[in-house]
Amino acid sequence: MAALAQYERIVVDIRTRIADGRLTPGDRLPSTRQLAKDWGVALATATKALTALQQQGIVVSQPRVGTVVAGVAGAAPGTPADAPLSREQVVRAAIELADAEGLDALSMRGVAARLGVATMSTYRHVTSKDQLILLMADTAFGEPVEVAGAGEPGGWRDLLTRAARTMWALYRRHPWLAHVTPLTRPLPLPNLVAHGERMLAAFQAVGAFDPQSLQDLQVLVYSHVQGLAMQLEGEARALADTGLDEDEWMAVNGAGFSGITGSGRYPRFTALMAAFGEAGGYDLDLDELFELGLGVLLDGLAVRFADPDRRRDTRRR
């Protein structure tokens, strides 16, 4: 008998746990990332296992919940293959999949399984995975967000703060989003342009800028938000790839850092690490870093904007 493929072993294990009662209808299954970590396999392999279980009707996907064992009252039964399907349903299912499992786990087959339809059904509404990702990004950037401003209401600082915090909230909601829109290769997404429009309105409240300076300023603010947001999905990927959380990673690499601090070549870094050791470590909080960086950025712009000559040319030395 041929040996089972890696994804088939995961399928058999989950089916066995359901059969012997360790998993019951409505129980939530591990995420793709957790399965990949537990079994020591690639994300694609774990995704294939969950997709196979969904296609067999053994598990179903529930929005905002995840993958659960089928058979519980109220569980999402999936969409029959002959039921009407819309582009909006396909895009929303893809967003939910990427939110739960990461962009690496996204596939047309996985989206179809989440909807309970044949894979080819999704291609009636999107032509490719690349087009689907663009539609996902545009939809995500268009979601409503309530955020607070800062400074005089309607002033440039208040408007820019609201614009930056809105984008940060969306990246927080959809960690994969920052990896779809590289800074150097902007995408023609109407809802992304809408965020840029808000930034332009903020700078317009300051006064006149030449086009180059105006674009520089917009890119500067956007790069702060997106640059930090890249770390949201990046940490999730690192966890899936290594199986180590932040604390475990530092523990494994502790000897390497000890060798650096013990060399005597970096006294300031050594003193800083010693201080963190006494304090129980450094708490890396991306939300706090976002606010710190935004405040520093806006403070610097306020100084520049106070000088009419410097305000008009951002590249003047």
Side-chain angles (χ1 to χ4, degrees):
M1 180 180 295
L4 292 175
Q6 287 181 315
Y7 87 93
E8 291 176 318
R9 292 201 296 270
I10 300 175
V11 170
V12 169
D13 177 72
I14 292 176
R15 289 180 66 109
T16 300
R17 284 190 280 162
I18 293 173
D20 64 21
R22 284 179 288 167
L23 286 173
T24 59
D27 285 350
R28 183 176 179 180
L29 268 64
S31 68
T32 301
R33 293 188 185 282
Q34 189 60 49
L35 281 176
K37 177 181 177 181
D38 292 344
W39 285 82
V41 297
L43 281 172
T45 300
T47 300
K48 188 174 182 179
L50 288 181
T51 299
L53 289 165
Q54 289 174 332
Q55 292 175 335
Q56 295 167 19
I58 297 170
V59 301
V60 295
S61 295
Q62 290 184 306
R64 309 301 180 188
V65 175
T67 303
V68 301
V69 179
V72 63
T79 303
D82 58 351
L85 187 67
S86 67
R87 171 179 281 189
E88 290 73 19
Q89 286 177 296
V90 173
V91 172
R92 182 51 58 185
I95 289 174
E96 291 173 355
L97 179 59
D99 287 348
E101 312 292 354
L103 201 60
D104 289 342
L106 181 70
S107 68
M108 298 296 285
R109 185 176 180 181
V111 172
R114 193 176 190 88
L115 290 166
V117 301
T119 302
M120 288 307 298
S121 297
T122 61
Y123 283 102
R124 299 191 185 104
H125 304 279
V126 294
T127 58
S128 66
K129 179 180 174 181
D130 288 341
Q131 185 198 25
L132 177 59
I133 291 175
L134 291 180
L135 292 169
M136 291 165 59
D138 194 47
T139 298
F141 278 123
E143 292 176 353
V145 176
E146 292 291 334
V147 297
E152 180 184 355
W156 73 267
R157 184 162 185 144
D158 177 75
L159 293 172
L160 206 53
T161 298
R162 289 179 186 276
R165 286 177 178 169
T166 296
M167 294 198 72
W168 178 250
L170 291 174
Y171 283 132
R172 261 299 194 186
R173 184 183 297 170
H174 307 293
W176 51 270
L177 191 55
H179 294 265
V180 177
T181 54
L183 184 65
T184 57
R185 301 194 178 192
L187 298 172
L189 305 176
N191 287 322
L192 177 57
V193 172
H195 291 280
E197 185 75 7
R198 296 186 187 100
M199 292 186 191
L200 293 175
F203 295 125
Q204 187 176 35
V206 177
F209 292 91
D210 65 89
Q212 180 69 54
S213 297
L214 195 59
Q215 184 68 357
D216 283 346
L217 291 170
Q218 182 181 201
V219 170
L220 181 64
V221 177
Y222 176 75
S223 64
H224 167 63
V225 183
Q226 191 226 20
L228 273 181
M230 292 281 285
Q231 308 309 313
L232 298 171
E233 179 78 354
E235 172 55 25
R237 288 178 177 177
L239 178 60
D241 291 341
T242 66
L244 303 174
D245 62 23
E246 295 177 54
D247 293 336
E248 292 169 334
W249 172 265
M250 291 304 297
V252 169
N253 290 276
F257 283 107
S258 295
I260 294 174
T261 57
S263 68
R265 297 173 59 191
Y266 311 103
R268 297 172 184 81
F269 178 76
T270 300
L272 183 62
M273 292 301 100
F276 284 135
E278 295 174 0
Y282 169 62
D283 181 18
L284 178 60
D285 188 314
L286 292 178
D287 292 305
E288 290 186 1
L289 280 178
F290 165 74
E291 289 294 338
L292 173 63
L294 180 61
V296 170
L297 179 59
L298 296 179
D299 288 345
L301 289 178
V303 173
R304 178 176 288 273
F305 292 164
D307 183 337
D309 291 331
R310 298 182 70 198
R311 185 187 69 203
R312 296 176 189 279
D313 183 0
T314 58
R315 296 191 175 190
R316 179 175 295 176
R317 296 294 185 266

